[in-house]
Amino acid sequence: MKNKIRVYFQFIVIVLILYVATRPFFDKAYFADFEKYCPFGGISSFFSKINQNTMACNMGETQVMLGLGLLLGVGLIGKLFCSFICPIGTTSEWLGKLGRKLKLQKAIPEKADRGLRGLKYLLLFVSIYFTMTSSELFCKKFDPYFSTMNLFGNIDIVLYYAVPALLFTIAGALFLRLAWCKYLCPLGAVSNIFLNLSSTVSVIIIYIAANYVGAQLSVVWLLAGLTVAGWINETIFMRSVFIPLPKVTRDEKGCSNCGNCDSKCPHGIKVSEMPIV
């Protein structure tokens, strides 16, 4: 078993989630709040606080700090939340292993893959825009994790959003590779935005400078700028520059250029062509 520590983390998180889901059956006073520790909800609520000075739904300072802490962690240690903690990422990975054993998985052509990656930036913009203008978490309408854990019984869940999202997550994991994570996950999109520190800081500086000279741009313009910058970086350049601090270095002397690392990479990175990933 490779990387046992990561597997242990994944297993512990799933067990804790199942405990929260089943506890109301033997503890009637307990309320299973599946959005309580949602980092994307905290990030969305942060934009709502900036735009309307109100938090979204049941989000508070704890959720906002979780979201901002995640973005800080992205810069320091990379996207370990997606790999170690995210229940959708874990489930998709496990379903992907089943798909490979059953020989169901197919590779998507590189051009199609890069084009599809832009969908999560569109979903990110839509999710945060409607959250920051209504102070209601839009992501609850479609989130596969939230809908599944609530058995589609929460009033905030919109079935014609949530059911296709869940089916895509399951089918995408079986027949493709981490399809939800690569193509639709808004948290993955916002993490990628802050992985590309140079463009992110540039957009923020331009936004502040424009308002300083009297442009009076709303926060929506900042959101749009960050989203477009993240989309361009992932679909065209597909790499970060300065962060995260730890990186994977390819041993060029020991590399046989067989290309096996390219085919094994779940995110389609051309590892064989890069000295540092």
Side-chain angles (χ1 to χ4, degrees), residues 15-24 30-34 37 145:
V15 169
L16 289 174
I17 291 173
L18 292 176
Y19 167 75
V20 172
T22 56
R23 181 173 170 179
Y30 180 77
F31 173 68
D33 187 357
F34 293 104
Y37 302 105
Y145 163 72

Side-chain angles (χ1 to χ4, degrees), residues 41-58:
I43 294 170
S44 299
S45 186
F46 179 68
F47 273 87
S48 178
K49 182 68 174 179
I50 295 175
N51 190 52
Q52 297 193 138
N53 199 31
T54 57
M55 290 290 190
C57 294
N58 296 325

Side-chain angles (χ1 to χ4, degrees), residues 177-247:
R177 276 188 176 181
L178 300 175
W180 169 266
C181 305
K182 289 198 293 183
Y183 304 136
L184 286 182
C185 180
L187 182 58
V190 75
S191 298
N192 289 346
I193 289 172
F194 282 85
L195 266 176
N196 189 20
L197 188 61
S198 56
S199 63
T200 299
V201 171
S202 298
V203 169
I204 294 174
I205 290 175
I206 292 172
Y207 173 77
I208 294 175
N211 279 338
Y212 181 78
V213 297
Q216 297 183 339
L217 300 177
S218 70
V219 183
V220 175
W221 285 96
L222 175 60
L223 173 63
L226 292 173
T227 304
V228 171
W231 168 67
I232 291 175
N233 181 65
E234 180 169 358
T235 56
I236 297 179
F237 303 107
M238 201 177 279
R239 67 181 63 194
S240 59
V241 181
F242 302 110
I243 58 176
L245 298 180
K247 295 178 174 63

Side-chain angles (χ1 to χ4, degrees), residues 34-173:
F34 293 104
E35 63 179 317
K36 188 174 183 180
Y37 302 105
C38 175
F40 183 69
I43 294 170
S44 299
S45 186
F46 179 68
F47 273 87
S48 178
K49 182 68 174 179
I50 295 175
N51 190 52
Q52 297 193 138
N53 199 31
T54 57
M55 290 290 190
C57 294
N58 296 325
M59 297 291 104
E61 287 77 8
T62 300
Q63 288 75 25
V64 171
M65 293 307 297
L66 282 172
L68 297 180
L70 182 143
L71 296 181
L72 178 62
V74 165
L76 295 177
I77 55 178
K79 298 176 66 173
L80 292 190
F81 175 87
C82 302
S83 181
F84 280 66
I85 298 175
C86 177
I88 299 180
T90 296
T91 304
S92 296
E93 183 180 333
W94 292 354
L95 286 174
K97 291 178 180 178
L98 175 62
R100 286 192 291 277
K101 285 185 178 180
L102 297 176
K103 298 182 179 180
L104 298 175
Q105 286 197 346
K106 303 295 181 181
I108 294 182
E110 183 177 355
K111 289 185 178 180
D113 174 71
R114 294 204 178 202
L116 289 170
R117 288 170 184 265
L119 293 175
K120 65 177 174 284
Y121 293 95
L122 176 61
L123 189 56
L124 168 66
F125 179 84
V126 170
S127 298
I128 294 185
Y129 174 79
F130 282 109
T131 298
M132 67 189 286
T133 54
S134 67
S135 290
E136 294 289 335
L137 284 179
F138 184 84
C139 60
K140 291 197 295 184
K141 299 180 184 298
F142 65 85
D143 182 8
Y145 163 72
F146 186 75
S147 58
T148 303
M149 290 298 100
N150 283 283
L151 300 178
F152 294 90
N154 190 286
I155 59 173
D156 292 317
I157 297 171
V158 179
L159 290 179
Y160 54 82
Y161 291 162
V163 172
L166 178 61
L167 292 177
F168 177 82
T169 302
I170 296 173

